[in-house]
Amino acid sequence: MDAASIAAAVAGGRTSARTIVTEALGRIARCDDRLNAFTDVLGARALARADAVDAALRGGDTAGPLAGVPFAVKNLIDIAGLPTRAGSKINRDRAPAAQDGTLVRRLEAAGAILIGALNMGEYAYDFTGENVHDGDAHNPHALDRMTGGSSSGSGAAIAAGMVPLTLGSDTNGSIRVPAAFCGCFGLKPTYGRLSRAGSFPFVGSLDHLGPMARTVTDLALAYDAMQGPDPDDPVATTRASEPALPILESGLDGLRIAVAGGYFARGGDPDAFAAVARVAEALGASRTVELPEAQRARAAAYLITAAEGATLHLDRLRTRPRDFDPAVRDRLIAGAMIPAPFVERAQRFRRWYRAAVLGLFDSVDVILAPTTPCRAPEGGQTHFVLDGVSLPVRANIGVFTQPISFIGLPVVAAPVWLDDGLPLGVQVIAPPWREDLALRVARHLERIGTCAAPIAELP
């Protein structure tokens, strides 16, 4: 069941939280040996929490909006009693977290039940879903295909129906890419909207945390439960919560929707653009807008990512270089050698680019763009051909996501199935603090059947 159905059934006494959690643990046990989505399964904790939820309901307490809903989190988010490994070998030597991360606590306050930690790319510097320490996560829709990263386990666990709700992180596309490759919905909120406190950072000026789910309603439920200021995250907004669920079914009346052209209409497989065209047709969107200097924005995002990421890991690079994934280590070392004036110029450009893109929202409310340039590549694939050019897979999967997260815009990644093959994704992009607009559009697409997130039928 989806999260909304579970919460309604538990709150209505038609089932118990313990029953739901037991079923989820059983599905994980049956499926995860083929998917490798989980790094830690917290059965005892989850069952104890489920019993507490059931006891509270029997005692007459009001059920939370996520009562009894199992969820799992990318293993860069703190879980009390576990070292926060962030997909790495080195972090396993850290002391266990003293408490859960802020978003875990907020979801459990809404009645949800943490059931495990999820696989990811090392230190979130990854778009493929491959991990040399924990093994690669596998795409439930085709086990020989990539899940996308770095929130690889988060996407796989949703697509396989092991849990209805997961948390991931998105610096350059790490929620949106797995959502596209695994065929589920993902929300990258406005930068600063959801607290990152109690998570292992990658690039502080670009990092976001957000939910992934099989339905847009579940995204909105989780998003609403996690909102609110947090003094423990220095960039968290002080804005009051702005719930999206109450207006999720408002439809599209009055919304001005455009398609991103120029940079976002080239450099990918034809099917990537066909997915956007299908969504645009379903929405009646015929206008095209162009994000100015998007290619330069992607280059600037690369510079900032490499430089900030390297700074974070300098001590580890000096003392334990052999314990990194060599591909991650080499990119971090390269980032450490970027001249400071280059990064300064990238940050100045970033301010200009943000202002230029925000100006587009004076005349449109939502912009559509492809999520990835292609369907999920095969596991281990190092190169693909885009527009007749052979390019490295790892470096180019985020070609369409990086120019958006670079300036912190909210995005819902929506899955599109053009045939019986693998899914593609479309980004539904909104102005800052208007997650509700992106969610409304995605919900309309889901309601009319243009976008859907079916559970994979595992062999």
Side-chain angles (χ1 to χ4, degrees):
M1 293 190 292
D2 57 68
S5 299
I6 289 170
V10 171
R14 298 188 297 279
T15 190
S16 67
R18 173 171 268 268
T19 297
I20 294 294
V21 167
T22 299
E23 290 175 350
L25 290 170
R27 185 162 177 82
I28 293 167
R30 292 191 301 273
C31 297
D32 200 48
D33 60 337
R34 287 164 286 173
L35 299 176
N36 198 33
F38 281 81
T39 54
D40 302 272
V41 178
L42 309 173
R45 169 180 166 153
L47 289 168
R49 172 67 180 156
D51 289 342
V53 169
D54 289 335
L57 289 171
R58 287 195 301 270
D61 286 358
T62 301
L66 292 167
V69 174
F71 74 102
V73 302
K74 189 173 183 176
N75 71 28
L76 58 61
I77 298 173
D78 288 353
I79 296 173
L82 295 180
T84 305
R85 66 173 76 181
S88 71
K89 177 181 179 181
I90 296 171
N91 278 30
R92 297 177 200 204
D93 295 337
R94 292 175 53 139
Q99 65 175 356
D100 297 331
T102 293
L103 297 191
V104 173
R105 298 199 305 272
R106 288 181 176 176
L107 287 175
E108 290 210 322
I113 298 169
L114 180 67
I115 205 166
L118 297 163
N119 203 352
M120 61 174 285
E122 185 180 60
Y123 289 125
Y125 208 168
D126 165 64
F127 274 134
T128 66
E130 297 168 319
N131 187 296
V132 301
H133 311 297
D134 293 307
D136 303 343
H138 299 287
N139 193 319
H141 294 290
L143 297 178
D144 62 339
R145 298 282 177 156
M146 294 177 180
T147 57
S150 61
S151 304
S152 53
S154 302
I158 292 294
M162 292 191 282
V163 287
L165 182 67
T166 62
L167 294 185
S169 70
D170 192 309
T171 301
N172 286 300
S174 289
I175 287 173
R176 290 162 288 162
V177 168
F181 284 177
C182 293
C184 59
F185 291 95
L187 171 64
K188 184 202 78 62
T190 306
Y191 181 76
R193 170 68 91 174
L194 298 182
S195 174
R196 306 168 306 176
S199 65
F200 195 87
F202 173 27
V203 180
S205 68
L206 296 173
D207 291 344
H208 310 65
L209 300 183
M212 300 174 72
R214 288 192 304 277
T215 74
V216 180
T217 298
D218 287 358
L219 279 189
L221 275 168
Y223 167 67
D224 288 355
M226 293 187 291
Q227 286 189 59
D230 186 357
D232 291 331
D233 180 354
V235 306
T237 182
T238 57
R239 296 169 69 99
S241 296
E242 297 170 282
L245 190 64
I247 57 174
L248 191 63
E249 304 289 349
S250 298
L252 305 182
D253 287 350
L255 286 188
R256 302 164 298 173
I257 303 172
V259 176
Y263 174 86
F264 292 93
R266 59 179 183 267
D269 287 347
D271 280 351
F273 307 120
V276 177
R278 174 177 289 187
V279 167
E281 181 180 8
L283 297 173
S286 57
R287 181 178 174 186
T288 299
V289 296
E290 187 162 345
L291 279 65
E293 297 284 5
Q295 185 167 353
R296 188 172 295 178
R298 182 177 178 237
Y302 254 116
L303 275 174
I304 293 168
T305 296
E308 285 195 31
T311 298
L312 177 68
H313 291 287
L314 278 178
D315 286 345
R316 282 175 281 272
L317 289 168
R318 292 186 180 112
T319 59
R320 299 183 64 174
R322 296 183 184 278
D323 289 333
F324 281 88
D325 175 343
V328 173
R329 179 194 61 214
D330 292 351
R331 280 178 291 152
L332 289 171
I333 291 171
M337 295 188 288
I338 295 174
F342 285 23
V343 180
E344 182 184 356
R345 288 180 63 186
Q347 293 286 18
R348 286 203 305 269
F349 169 78
R350 186 183 188 183
R351 289 191 292 273
W352 175 88
Y353 176 69
R354 176 179 171 82
V357 173
L358 292 186
L360 296 176
F361 289 108
D362 292 338
S363 58
V364 300
D365 299 305
V366 169
I367 300 172
L368 308 174
T371 304
T372 59
C374 60
R375 290 180 170 87
E378 294 181 357
Q381 184 176 336
T382 60
H383 286 73
F384 51 18
V385 177
L386 301 176
D387 273 359
V389 179
S390 179
L391 297 167
V393 168
R394 188 186 291 262
N396 289 282
I397 290 175
V399 62
F400 297 132
T401 54
Q402 287 179 283
I404 308 304
S405 44
F406 182 53
I407 51 175
L409 299 179
V411 185
V412 171
V416 178
W417 303 77
L418 295 181
D419 49 37
D420 292 332
L422 292 169
L424 292 147
V426 172
Q427 297 184 86
V428 183
I429 305 161
W433 318 114
R434 296 308 308 268
E435 287 84 352
D436 62 301
L437 294 181
L439 287 163
R440 276 172 57 191
V441 171
R443 174 62 187 129
H444 177 82
L445 292 167
E446 179 185 37
R447 188 167 56 240
I448 65 176
T450 304
C451 295
I455 293 176
E457 296 183 7
L458 293 174

